[in-house]
């Protein structure tokens, strides 16, 4: 099922729902947060009050605020401090990421492996954005959200269609499955599902579009093109880390990605080493 023009989005969503695909709703607490952010006079204390109702979200905020990537020189032990340090926009993106796995469900070992993959792509994407902050206009939290949500249509399709990613389920596949081929077999698009989840969860439009178009290095618009290039680079780096065969999409789009991210072919090996060091310490 190819991704349609924007004007056909409603028809595609109806087709997905008609085939038994379920787009997971935002948890109530995320809806409350979104409603609060729509108000002109909301305060960080108001935001802390909403998040503080949920023990799991509160723990996630502290974990994010005290993570090495945030660069805090002292331990954050107050929810107000954590929210003030992170800022409302990045905080909401990271909180949505923290509850995505629970909302999509799936407890089998294959889903554990899937979320390890998604977490790697998210961490790599954030590291790329952080390293290239002076060159690109994408923030690390935005790149992390795009990386984590990028393939979130996969567990949805795996739960709907027993044959989807059959080899990956059996752990007989070395590497990451060819999802475009898997999509053809069930006549559904994992990227379209990811797009609708991102839209439904009110991620920024350019992130949602990048998720939809991440198999194409030249989507419409500067921000989407840059984000898609980050995602393609992240997928390449994970493949490199695991010493798998080169991704055909990387071979096809490599030069476009390098140009978009302001990198040279000569400088690529050094950049690869730096990002792998940041994420895996190797």
């Amino acid at each position: 099922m190819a991704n349609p023009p924007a004007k056909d989005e409603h028809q595609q969503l109806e087709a997905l729902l008609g085939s038994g695909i379920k787009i997971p709703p935002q948890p109530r607490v995320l809806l409350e947060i979104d409603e609060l952010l729509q108000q002109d006079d909301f305060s960080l204390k108001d935001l802390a009050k909403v998040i503080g109702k949920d023990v799991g979200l509160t723990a996630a905020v502290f974990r994010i605020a005290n993570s090495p990537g945030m660069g805090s020189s002292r331990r954050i032990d107050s929810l107000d401090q954590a929210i003030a340090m992170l800022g409302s926009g990045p905080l909401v993106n990271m909180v949505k990421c923290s509850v995505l796995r629970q909302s999509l469900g799936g407890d089998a070992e294959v889903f554990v492996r899937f979320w390890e993959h998604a977490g790697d792509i998210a961490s790599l994407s954030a590291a790329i954005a952080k390293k290239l902050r002076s060159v690109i206009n994408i923030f690390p939290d935005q790149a992390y959200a795009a990386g984590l949500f990028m393939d979130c249509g996969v567990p949805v399709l795996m739960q709907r269609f027993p044959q989807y990613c059959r080899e990956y389920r059996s752990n007989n596949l070395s590497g990451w499955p060819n999802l475009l081929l898997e999509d053809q077999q069930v006549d559904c698009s994992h990227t379209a599902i990811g797009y609708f989840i991102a839209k439904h969860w009110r991620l920024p439009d350019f992130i949602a579009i990048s998720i939809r178009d991440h198999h194409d290095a030249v989507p419409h618009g500067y921000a989407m093109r840059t984000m898609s290039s980050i995602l393609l680079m992240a997928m390449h780096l994970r493949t490199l880390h695991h010493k798998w065969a080169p991704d055909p999409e990387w071979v096809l789009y490599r030069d476009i990605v390098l140009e978009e991210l302001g990198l040279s072919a000569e400088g690529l090996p050094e950049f690869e080493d730096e990002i792998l060091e940041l994420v895996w310490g190797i």
Side-chain angles (χ1 to χ4, degrees), residues 14 40 53-54 64 120 126 136 177 196 206-207 211 226 229 235-236 238 270:
E14 289 296 315
D40 294 331
K53 296 181 201 176
D54 189 298
I64 294 165
D120 287 348
I136 62 176
F196 286 121
F206 81 93
I207 292 180
I211 291 168
T226 302
S229 295
M235 289 187 285
H236 159 66
R238 189 171 192 269
E270 181 179 355

Side-chain angles (χ1 to χ4, degrees), residues 66-80:
N66 288 302
S67 65
M70 293 297 105
S72 177
S73 59
R74 60 187 178 87
R75 180 167 181 80
I76 304 296
D77 54 14
S78 156
L79 191 55
D80 288 350

Side-chain angles (χ1 to χ4, degrees), residues 1-3 151 154 157 164-165 176-192 211-216 247 249 252-253:
M1 182 181 293
N3 293 322
D151 286 326
V154 172
L157 287 171
Y164 193 81
C165 290
W176 185 236
N178 185 326
L179 296 178
L180 296 181
L181 288 179
E182 297 287 343
D183 288 355
Q184 289 177 13
Q185 293 178 12
V186 297
D187 194 28
C188 276
S189 167
H190 77 283
T191 61
I211 291 168
R212 186 192 67 194
D213 296 343
H214 72 263
H215 287 286
D216 181 355
D247 189 327
E249 287 185 357
L252 180 63
Y253 293 125

Side-chain angles (χ1 to χ4, degrees), residues 36 61 86 102 141 176 223 246 266:
L36 180 63
V61 170
L86 294 169
Q102 179 181 353
D141 69 281
W176 185 236
E266 295 76 16

Side-chain angles (χ1 to χ4, degrees), residues 112-134:
V112 174
R113 289 191 286 116
F114 169 82
W115 288 112
E116 288 176 354
H117 162 83
D120 287 348
I121 296 298
S123 296
L124 287 163
S125 298
I128 293 166
K130 184 176 182 180
K131 183 68 178 177
L132 300 177
R133 188 68 193 92
S134 62

